[in-house]
Amino acid sequence: ADPYSENRARGTMGDGLTLNFTVTAGQTEEMRVTSFTLIDARTNEPVEGFNPIPAVAAIDLTDLGLRRINIRANVAGEPGSVRFYVNNIHWRTESSAPFALAGDRNGNYRRWRFTSGEQTITAVPYAEARARGPEGISHQLTFTIQWYPSITNQ
C-alpha cells in the first residue's frame, strides 16, 4: 500500500508498506453434537430403531430384550472431547471417540447404570481433551426409559 500526505492519493507519496500473510485451512465443519444413538453394550452395536434416538422416545428395554446399554453422542466436526450431563448433573467427559455416556474401552462399550423414568441427556463438544478449549454446539434429548425385570415364583 502506498501512503499519501493528502486524501485521494494526492500530496507527497510516502514509503510503501508490504503485508505478508498465510491463509491456513480452518475447521471446515462446525463442531457439534448432532444426535444420540442407543448402544447394546453386550454386542457394541446400535439398537435398531434408535440410531439415532428419536425425539420424545420411550425406550422399553424389556421389549427390546436389553439390559446392558450405553448412549453414544454422534458428532460433526472434530471435537477433542464431549462432556455429558444426565438430568443437568455432570456425568462424564470423554476425550476420544466413540463419545459414550458410560464410556468405553477401545470401542467396547461399558454399561450405563440408569434409573427407570424420564431422563434428559445433554452432550457438549469441546475443541480439546478434558472439556477444554472452545465449546461447540450442544445437543439435548429427553426420553423415557424403562426396564421391568422378570419376576419368577419360587
Side-chain angles (χ1 to χ4, degrees):
D2 294 321
Y4 289 86
S5 61
E6 296 178 27
N7 290 334
R8 300 177 192 238
R10 294 186 182 161
T12 306
M13 186 167 105
D15 293 332
L17 175 67
T18 302
L19 177 63
N20 295 315
F21 61 93
T22 303
V23 176
T24 57
Q27 191 170 351
T28 58
E29 192 172 6
E30 193 171 33
M31 184 178 58
R32 66 184 313 143
V33 175
T34 59
S35 62
F36 295 105
T37 295
L38 182 66
I39 300 291
D40 180 341
R42 199 174 32 84
T43 65
N44 297 312
E45 295 294 327
V47 176
E48 187 177 335
F50 296 93
N51 183 18
I53 300 172
V56 196
I59 303 170
D60 186 332
L61 297 178
T62 307
D63 284 351
L64 294 171
L66 298 174
R67 289 184 60 191
R68 300 174 59 90
I69 61 166
N70 201 334
I71 294 179
R72 181 185 69 212
N74 303 312
V75 298
E78 296 183 22
S81 61
V82 172
R83 177 166 277 177
F84 289 92
Y85 297 85
V86 176
N87 300 324
N88 296 317
I89 297 171
H90 174 238
W91 191 265
R92 177 182 191 84
T93 300
E94 283 275 277
S95 291
S96 62
F99 300 108
L101 175 68
D104 71 288
R105 180 173 287 147
N106 299 321
N108 185 17
Y109 289 92
R110 293 187 172 131
R111 177 184 185 178
W112 174 38
R113 299 192 185 277
F114 62 90
T115 55
S116 291
E118 188 174 273
Q119 308 288 332
T120 299
I121 295 180
T122 306
V124 183
Y126 289 86
E128 299 172 20
R130 298 187 304 274
R132 296 196 172 142
E135 187 178 300
I137 298 172
S138 64
H139 185 72
Q140 185 175 73
L141 179 68
T142 299
F143 58 94
T144 302
I145 191 166
Q146 54 192 8
W147 177 66
Y148 301 106
S150 60
I151 300 172
T152 58
N153 292 330
Q154 298 195 16

